[in-house]
Amino acid sequence: MTVRERYEELKNTLNEHSYKYYVLDNPDITDEQYDRLMRELVDIEKANPDFVTADSPTQKVGGKILDGFESVTHTVLMQSLQDAFSFEELKEFDSRVRGTVDTPVYCVEQKIDGLSVSLEYVDSVFVRGSTRGDGVVGEDVTENLKTVKSIPLKLREDIPYLEVRGEVFISKPDFARLNQKREEEGESTFANPRNAAAGSLRQLNSAIAAKRNLDIFVFNIQQIQGREIKSHLEGLDLLRRCGFKVISNDKGFDTIEDAFDEIKRIGDIRRDLYYDIDGAVIKVNELSQRDKLGSTAKTPRWAIAYKYPAEKQKTKIKDITVAVGRTGVLTPAADLEPVLIAGSTVSRATLHNIDFIRQKDIRIGDTVVIQKAGDIIPEVVEVVVSDRNGSEREFFMPETCPACGARVHREEGEAAVRCTGGACPAQAVRSIIHFVSRDAMDIEGLGPQIIEKLVDNGLISSSADIYYMDKESLASLDKMGDKSAENILSAAEKSKSNSMEKLLYALGIRHIGAGASKLISKKFKDIYALFDATKEDLCAIGDIGDIMAESVTDFFAEPQNRDFIDKLSRAGVNTKYIEQESGDNRFEGKTFVLTGTLENYGRKEATGIIEKFGGKVSGSVSGKTDYVVAGESTGSKLDKARELGIPVIGEAEFMEMIK
């Protein structure tokens, strides 16, 4: 078998297994077996980039970064549906339909609460995906849709042209995990799964969309060539055979009463579904009857959406407590008198931040209306002000961290209140993971799982404790052993000789990245000099602004952070800046901007080379820029450079400059 033949075999095998896993939910190989096949495919593509085709499963990983979304004009309008909120409105719809066509058969489908998109296929290969937009013009989000594992990159049947409509969504468990992570990192949470799906699809970096675990149900054929479809149910059957996830009954209903019984059945099970629905849709099955019924300017006359009412309950806030997340963000939550809502007992609801509390004027002792966002996360909808009796108390965020006692800080323009303690136990795992990472102290062998074990077993509680571990305790961990323990301790010992900038970056000071750490270290020479540094001292360094300077001074003003540095120093960790003389300062005084993808260098590698020769790399183009190095898939930086007359060089010219 040739390499090309093996590549085609692997590609088809992996696409088949993806279909069984993500569409049929019936895998027949293990994750390990799938990963082994995928690694083989990736290796072949690396060695033979000309083999790569649009239907390769590697194209679902994501990573392309766009400057913006192109507009897409829909050939077939993506209309919205008329809403109904009662059986009487459904009967009126039925009367209108029967006034135009005889003996209609209705289909009833769950109405997914997500984002409507169009998917287009040419010769069975996925070529473009777009949002609904205003129904006439949407946005090209092809790269993000490629990351949705349940969207086939190649149809399982040969069709010259096909356009389908579907609803992109995030499952209830993934939505809960996403919001928890965002809350821990101090980001605003999504109000519901639909907002989460929409926000994910509009990411310019498809790698971010890929991490969101988007899913899709396809529910309609918009256009098709090479096949004749006479009914909606027939079309859905074809879509299943093509490899799409389809959510529909295979059953037709002869009366509106039978259709409404199905709507009620769906309503009874909707809380048990792993995805969120906000209603059910009734559609006329026969396409010829749809043509007779036609459409208004906004909605089709052959379909209607029944909306389920949101379930709400009243209860009382007993107290408001504050939890500290892994990123140091303080999040208030309401302790409630238990109440049954959407099938489960609720006794706690997040209050997000102090701005949310003030906007709704929420007080301890208030009677409030609760609902579940997307039937998942309990939230306070409103305060019942008329139930107040004067005993209610206003809530204030604490001035010190409930977990470690360090001062808390809220930056101007941000909703999040954060702990400033570098040794805060609530942040221990995350801060240690950052501390040992490659760009920080670079302690090889200490991965996230081992760090969690170390913390859980009480062997360390902060990053400084790494330098006080002993071999016996470390080797006693499950699946560790003497050799692994020796390697970790050796890597920790080696890290003690790092230059100051790596230590400064490892501290995880907000807004201070690796580049800023190097600039500050070059200026101050010793981390202890930062104990008495002022904002003015720091702002005197080029590229260090007010917010960055304030983050540094706030960090070193906290006693527990100074104690942390002392503990590192006692362990023998170097705190001074080590000058690295390259002997070649050909780029001294020159500022570079990198844009696009370089073939031979990663972004960090190219930056390191420029800095080695005394130059500086900036993230934006300005009048102070000397060169813009442009790779493939460049963006707005290139346009800005041309507008300002900044020299633009390609990768070949850059390689000549660094010879």
Side-chain angles (χ1 to χ4, degrees):
M1 181 182 293
T2 66
V3 176
R4 167 74 79 172
E5 289 170 340
R6 177 57 178 165
Y7 173 70
E8 293 296 329
E9 180 183 63
L10 279 170
K11 189 175 64 173
N12 294 333
T13 299
L14 285 163
N15 280 332
E16 180 67 19
H17 287 307
S18 292
Y19 169 69
K20 289 177 180 178
Y21 186 94
Y22 295 108
V23 178
L24 300 182
D25 196 23
N26 186 30
D28 57 10
I29 64 171
T30 65
D31 289 349
E32 291 78 11
Q33 290 171 316
Y34 182 92
D35 291 341
R36 188 165 60 249
L37 293 172
M38 179 65 85
R39 283 195 297 272
E40 185 181 351
L41 183 75
V42 169
D43 289 341
I44 292 176
E45 289 188 345
K46 283 182 179 178
N48 304 274
D50 56 312
F51 283 11
V52 183
T53 55
D55 60 329
S56 170
T58 61
Q59 302 306 296
K60 283 187 172 291
V61 174
K64 290 191 178 179
I65 301 176
L66 307 175
D67 292 325
F69 297 113
E70 298 289 333
S71 295
V72 176
T73 301
H74 301 301
T75 308
V76 176
L77 297 184
M78 295 181 69
Q79 295 182 304
S80 56
L81 294 175
Q82 177 190 347
D83 290 335
F85 299 91
S86 68
F87 179 53
E88 293 304 315
E89 290 175 273
L90 295 182
K91 287 200 293 185
E92 291 173 9
F93 165 76
D94 181 53
S95 296
R96 292 194 298 271
V97 169
R98 293 180 186 277
T100 303
V101 301
D102 296 327
T103 60
V105 173
Y106 293 119
C107 304
V108 179
E109 301 170 357
Q110 298 169 9
K111 187 176 183 297
I112 308 297
D113 194 11
L115 189 73
S116 196
V117 298
S118 160
L119 310 177
E120 296 177 68
Y121 292 78
V122 175
D123 294 329
S124 299
V125 175
F126 179 48
V127 294
R128 186 167 69 173
S130 53
T131 61
R132 177 182 175 273
D134 62 3
V136 179
V137 178
E139 293 178 318
D140 187 331
V141 289
T142 306
E143 294 304 323
N144 288 339
L145 286 170
K146 281 182 180 178
T147 70
V148 181
K149 296 181 175 66
S150 47
I151 292 178
L153 296 180
K154 187 174 184 179
L155 302 179
R156 298 170 64 81
E157 296 204 3
D158 294 330
I159 298 179
Y161 178 78
L162 175 69
E163 181 187 359
V164 300
R165 183 170 173 178
E167 200 81 2
V168 173
F169 66 95
I170 289 181
S171 72
K172 292 177 180 178
D174 284 333
F175 173 66
R177 282 191 289 268
L178 175 61
N179 260 359
Q180 181 181 355
K181 183 179 179 183
R182 290 176 68 86
E183 197 155 70
E184 287 176 347
E185 294 178 353
E187 298 181 58
S188 59
T189 54
F190 290 110
N192 52 55
R194 187 190 184 284
N195 284 10
S200 302
L201 264 192
R202 298 204 76 256
Q203 293 291 330
L204 292 174
N205 184 350
S206 60
I208 297 175
K211 294 177 182 177
R212 299 282 175 82
N213 290 331
L214 296 172
D215 207 341
I216 190 172
F217 281 114
V218 172
F219 59 82
N220 200 61
I221 294 176
Q222 300 290 89
Q223 301 182 75
I224 189 169
Q225 295 175 8
R227 299 289 179 95
E228 185 178 350
I229 305 298
K230 294 183 178 180
S231 72
H232 182 61
L233 291 177
E234 184 184 339
L236 294 178
D237 184 55
L238 174 62
L239 292 177
R240 289 190 191 92
R241 298 200 308 271
C242 284
F244 293 106
K245 282 181 72 170
V246 175
I247 183 161
S248 174
N249 255 316
D250 288 331
K251 187 177 178 184
F253 301 91
D254 295 328
T255 68
I256 197 67
E257 288 78 12
D258 289 342
F260 188 55
D261 285 343
E262 176 64 11
I263 288 174
K264 289 188 286 186
R265 185 193 71 80
I266 292 172
D268 290 339
I269 66 168
R270 73 185 183 115
R271 294 189 189 96
D272 299 324
L273 300 172
Y274 71 89
Y275 46 86
D276 191 36
I277 66 173
D278 61 352
V281 180
I282 297 178
K283 299 177 180 178
V284 172
N285 182 41
E286 294 296 325
L287 302 189
S288 60
Q289 292 183 338
R290 291 186 181 185
D291 290 339
K292 287 183 182 179
L293 288 162
S295 301
T296 68
K298 293 183 178 180
T299 61
R301 293 191 177 95
W302 44 264
I304 193 167
Y306 178 85
K307 291 295 192 77
Y308 297 112
E311 186 176 346
K312 300 177 181 179
Q313 293 288 351
K314 283 171 61 173
T315 186
K316 182 166 282 191
I317 296 178
K318 298 189 296 182
D319 197 5
I320 296 177
T321 56
V322 175
V324 186
R326 291 177 65 171
T327 60
V329 174
L330 277 63
T331 303
D335 290 334
L336 308 169
E337 290 184 354
V339 61
L340 185 66
I341 180 169
S344 62
T345 300
V346 172
S347 59
R348 191 172 176 81
T350 179
L351 297 177
H352 304 293
N353 51 60
I354 191 64
D355 289 348
F356 180 87
I357 292 172
R358 293 289 178 261
Q359 286 163 7
K360 292 188 177 291
D361 190 21
I362 297 170
R363 304 178 188 179
I364 298 168
D366 265 335
T367 298
V368 292
V369 176
I370 301 290
Q371 73 176 20
K372 283 189 177 180
D375 288 339
I376 307 167
I377 300 174
E379 65 177 359
V380 175
V381 179
E382 61 179 318
V383 174
V384 185
V385 178
S386 59
D387 283 3
R388 283 181 175 166
N389 58 22
S391 65
E392 297 79 16
R393 293 178 287 118
E394 191 172 359
F395 170 79
F396 297 93
M397 290 292 285
E399 295 181 356
T400 58
C401 173
C404 72
R407 292 179 302 107
V408 300
H409 175 71
R410 179 181 179 180
E411 289 183 5
E412 188 176 346
E414 283 197 3
V417 175
R418 299 175 185 274
C419 168
T420 61
C424 179
Q427 306 173 62
V429 171
R430 181 181 177 276
S431 62
I432 296 169
I433 289 172
H434 172 74
F435 186 90
V436 305
S437 63
R438 181 172 296 178
D439 289 340
M441 293 301 281
D442 192 16
I443 303 179
E444 197 172 338
L446 278 180
Q449 290 182 331
I450 292 176
I451 289 170
E452 287 185 6
K453 283 184 182 179
L454 290 170
V455 172
D456 291 344
N457 284 274
L459 296 185
I460 61 174
S461 60
S462 74
S463 301
D465 293 334
I466 292 170
Y467 298 102
Y468 293 86
M469 293 189 299
D470 62 84
K471 178 183 170 183
E472 290 71 29
S473 299
L474 190 56
S476 68
L477 286 177
D478 183 39
K479 297 180 181 179
M480 177 61 70
D482 289 344
K483 184 61 177 175
S484 296
E486 286 175 6
N487 291 339
I488 289 173
L489 292 176
S490 176
E493 187 65 29
K494 180 182 175 183
S495 75
K496 291 180 180 180
S497 60
N498 286 337
S499 182
M500 170 188 166
E501 68 268 20
K502 292 184 77 68
L503 174 58
L504 182 58
Y505 176 62
L507 297 176
I509 303 172
R510 190 159 163 77
H511 302 303
I512 304 300
S517 295
K518 189 161 189 174
L519 290 173
I520 293 168
S521 299
K522 269 185 169 182
K523 172 70 175 176
F524 285 88
K525 307 299 183 186
D526 190 328
I527 210 161
Y528 278 97
L530 292 172
F531 282 22
D532 301 314
T534 65
K535 276 182 62 176
E536 291 72 22
D537 294 334
L538 288 153
C539 287
I541 305 172
D543 292 340
I544 302 296
D546 287 345
I547 293 176
M548 297 167 74
E550 189 173 349
S551 287
V552 174
T553 54
D554 283 350
F555 182 89
F556 287 105
E558 178 57 48
Q560 68 170 254
N561 295 338
R562 295 184 177 217
D563 292 342
F564 179 75
I565 299 296
D566 286 339
K567 188 173 182 178
L568 289 170
S569 182
R570 289 195 301 272
V573 175
N574 174 58
T575 63
K576 300 180 185 298
Y577 178 66
I578 301 171
E579 296 282 353
Q580 294 180 342
E581 293 294 337
S582 69
D584 186 339
N585 293 315
R586 68 183 74 176
F587 293 154
E588 187 171 1
K590 301 295 183 185
T591 299
F592 289 73
V593 170
L594 304 173
T595 182
T597 304
L598 300 178
E599 184 179 348
N600 296 291
Y601 303 98
R603 186 65 62 95
K604 288 182 180 178
E605 186 181 4
T607 299
I609 291 170
I610 292 167
E611 291 179 345
K612 173 186 172 184
F613 291 137
K616 186 176 77 170
V617 176
S618 174
S620 58
V621 178
S622 71
K624 297 179 181 179
T625 305
D626 294 289
Y627 296 101
V628 171
V629 182
E632 293 183 6
S633 304
T634 57
S636 58
K637 292 177 183 176
L638 188 60
D639 297 331
K640 182 72 171 177
R642 287 169 176 160
E643 180 185 323
L644 296 176
I646 307 295
V648 176
I649 60 175
E651 185 170 359
E653 293 172 273
F654 177 66
M655 292 173 71
E656 283 294 320
M657 293 175 72
I658 64 176
K659 272 187 179 179

